[in-house]
PDB file of all heavy atoms in Angstrom:
ATOM      1  N   LEU A 486     -19.822   3.792  11.556  1.00  0.00           N
ATOM      2  CA  LEU A 486     -18.413   3.932  11.796  1.00  0.00           C
ATOM      3  C   LEU A 486     -17.584   2.582  11.371  1.00  0.00           C
ATOM      4  O   LEU A 486     -16.511   2.603  10.788  1.00  0.00           O
ATOM      5  CB  LEU A 486     -18.035   4.365  13.196  1.00  0.00           C
ATOM      6  CG  LEU A 486     -18.431   5.696  13.617  1.00  0.00           C
ATOM      7  CD1 LEU A 486     -18.024   5.935  15.081  1.00  0.00           C
ATOM      8  CD2 LEU A 486     -17.848   6.780  12.679  1.00  0.00           C
ATOM      9  N   ARG A 487     -18.272   1.506  11.710  1.00  0.00           N
ATOM     10  CA  ARG A 487     -17.657   0.178  11.422  1.00  0.00           C
ATOM     11  C   ARG A 487     -17.701  -0.076   9.937  1.00  0.00           C
ATOM     12  O   ARG A 487     -16.966  -1.032   9.471  1.00  0.00           O
ATOM     13  CB  ARG A 487     -18.451  -0.909  12.096  1.00  0.00           C
ATOM     14  CG  ARG A 487     -18.162  -0.874  13.656  1.00  0.00           C
ATOM     15  CD  ARG A 487     -18.826  -2.080  14.405  1.00  0.00           C
ATOM     16  NE  ARG A 487     -18.639  -1.885  15.822  1.00  0.00           N
ATOM     17  CZ  ARG A 487     -19.511  -1.340  16.584  1.00  0.00           C
ATOM     18  NH1 ARG A 487     -20.681  -0.838  16.123  1.00  0.00           N
ATOM     19  NH2 ARG A 487     -19.268  -1.040  17.852  1.00  0.00           N
ATOM     20  N   SER A 488     -18.524   0.640   9.117  1.00  0.00           N
ATOM     21  CA  SER A 488     -18.568   0.355   7.712  1.00  0.00           C
ATOM     22  C   SER A 488     -17.322   0.763   6.924  1.00  0.00           C
ATOM     23  O   SER A 488     -17.072   0.340   5.857  1.00  0.00           O
ATOM     24  CB  SER A 488     -19.781   1.114   7.052  1.00  0.00           C
ATOM     25  OG  SER A 488     -19.575   2.477   7.010  1.00  0.00           O
ATOM     26  N   GLY A 489     -16.536   1.613   7.551  1.00  0.00           N
ATOM     27  CA  GLY A 489     -15.417   2.205   6.892  1.00  0.00           C
ATOM     28  C   GLY A 489     -15.659   3.304   5.836  1.00  0.00           C
ATOM     29  O   GLY A 489     -14.725   3.771   5.230  1.00  0.00           O
ATOM     30  N   LEU A 490     -16.838   3.763   5.818  1.00  0.00           N
ATOM     31  CA  LEU A 490     -17.219   4.834   4.845  1.00  0.00           C
ATOM     32  C   LEU A 490     -17.018   6.238   5.355  1.00  0.00           C
ATOM     33  O   LEU A 490     -16.977   7.178   4.593  1.00  0.00           O
ATOM     34  CB  LEU A 490     -18.640   4.723   4.375  1.00  0.00           C
ATOM     35  CG  LEU A 490     -19.006   3.439   3.655  1.00  0.00           C
ATOM     36  CD1 LEU A 490     -20.493   3.401   3.344  1.00  0.00           C
ATOM     37  CD2 LEU A 490     -18.272   3.340   2.345  1.00  0.00           C
ATOM     38  N   VAL A 491     -16.835   6.302   6.662  1.00  0.00           N
ATOM     39  CA  VAL A 491     -16.690   7.601   7.327  1.00  0.00           C
ATOM     40  C   VAL A 491     -15.249   7.786   7.820  1.00  0.00           C
ATOM     41  O   VAL A 491     -14.629   6.936   8.391  1.00  0.00           O
ATOM     42  CB  VAL A 491     -17.698   7.771   8.455  1.00  0.00           C
ATOM     43  CG1 VAL A 491     -17.373   8.965   9.372  1.00  0.00           C
ATOM     44  CG2 VAL A 491     -19.127   7.883   7.852  1.00  0.00           C
ATOM     45  N   THR A 492     -14.701   9.062   7.546  1.00  0.00           N
ATOM     46  CA  THR A 492     -13.361   9.333   8.135  1.00  0.00           C
ATOM     47  C   THR A 492     -13.354  10.214   9.385  1.00  0.00           C
ATOM     48  O   THR A 492     -12.427  10.250  10.120  1.00  0.00           O
ATOM     49  CB  THR A 492     -12.475  10.074   7.053  1.00  0.00           C
ATOM     50  OG1 THR A 492     -13.150  11.277   6.712  1.00  0.00           O
ATOM     51  CG2 THR A 492     -12.421   9.178   5.744  1.00  0.00           C
ATOM     52  N   SER A 493     -14.440  11.044   9.465  1.00  0.00           N
ATOM     53  CA  SER A 493     -14.530  11.972  10.630  1.00  0.00           C
ATOM     54  C   SER A 493     -15.949  12.044  11.008  1.00  0.00           C
ATOM     55  O   SER A 493     -16.881  11.722  10.413  1.00  0.00           O
ATOM     56  CB  SER A 493     -14.069  13.402  10.141  1.00  0.00           C
ATOM     57  OG  SER A 493     -12.693  13.272   9.773  1.00  0.00           O
ATOM     58  N   LEU A 494     -16.079  12.490  12.356  1.00  0.00           N
ATOM     59  CA  LEU A 494     -17.332  12.543  13.088  1.00  0.00           C
ATOM     60  C   LEU A 494     -17.498  13.682  13.878  1.00  0.00           C
ATOM     61  O   LEU A 494     -16.583  14.105  14.677  1.00  0.00           O
ATOM     62  CB  LEU A 494     -17.528  11.200  13.932  1.00  0.00           C
ATOM     63  CG  LEU A 494     -18.813  11.145  14.717  1.00  0.00           C
ATOM     64  CD1 LEU A 494     -20.037  10.956  13.956  1.00  0.00           C
ATOM     65  CD2 LEU A 494     -18.671   9.997  15.807  1.00  0.00           C
ATOM     66  N   VAL A 495     -18.684  14.310  13.824  1.00  0.00           N
ATOM     67  CA  VAL A 495     -19.133  15.420  14.698  1.00  0.00           C
ATOM     68  C   VAL A 495     -20.291  14.876  15.501  1.00  0.00           C
ATOM     69  O   VAL A 495     -21.298  14.507  14.923  1.00  0.00           O
ATOM     70  CB  VAL A 495     -19.473  16.665  13.964  1.00  0.00           C
ATOM     71  CG1 VAL A 495     -19.963  17.783  15.083  1.00  0.00           C
ATOM     72  CG2 VAL A 495     -18.313  17.221  13.220  1.00  0.00           C
ATOM     73  N   THR A 496     -20.200  14.717  16.819  1.00  0.00           N
ATOM     74  CA  THR A 496     -21.213  14.163  17.577  1.00  0.00           C
ATOM     75  C   THR A 496     -21.313  14.825  18.970  1.00  0.00           C
ATOM     76  O   THR A 496     -20.643  15.808  19.130  1.00  0.00           O
ATOM     77  CB  THR A 496     -21.080  12.546  17.745  1.00  0.00           C
ATOM     78  OG1 THR A 496     -22.150  11.987  18.333  1.00  0.00           O
ATOM     79  CG2 THR A 496     -19.806  12.280  18.616  1.00  0.00           C
ATOM     80  N   ASP A 497     -22.163  14.304  19.898  1.00  0.00           N
ATOM     81  CA  ASP A 497     -22.298  14.889  21.133  1.00  0.00           C
ATOM     82  C   ASP A 497     -21.836  13.857  22.279  1.00  0.00           C
ATOM     83  O   ASP A 497     -21.628  12.794  22.067  1.00  0.00           O
ATOM     84  CB  ASP A 497     -23.713  15.395  21.386  1.00  0.00           C
ATOM     85  CG  ASP A 497     -24.793  14.279  21.404  1.00  0.00           C
ATOM     86  OD1 ASP A 497     -24.412  13.145  21.193  1.00  0.00           O
ATOM     87  OD2 ASP A 497     -25.878  14.703  21.638  1.00  0.00           O
TER      88      ASP A 497
END
Side-chain angles (χ1 to χ4, degrees):
L486 292 182
R487 293 186 184 91
S488 74
L490 294 176
V491 168
T492 62
S493 298
L494 175 69
V495 178
T496 190
D497 64 356

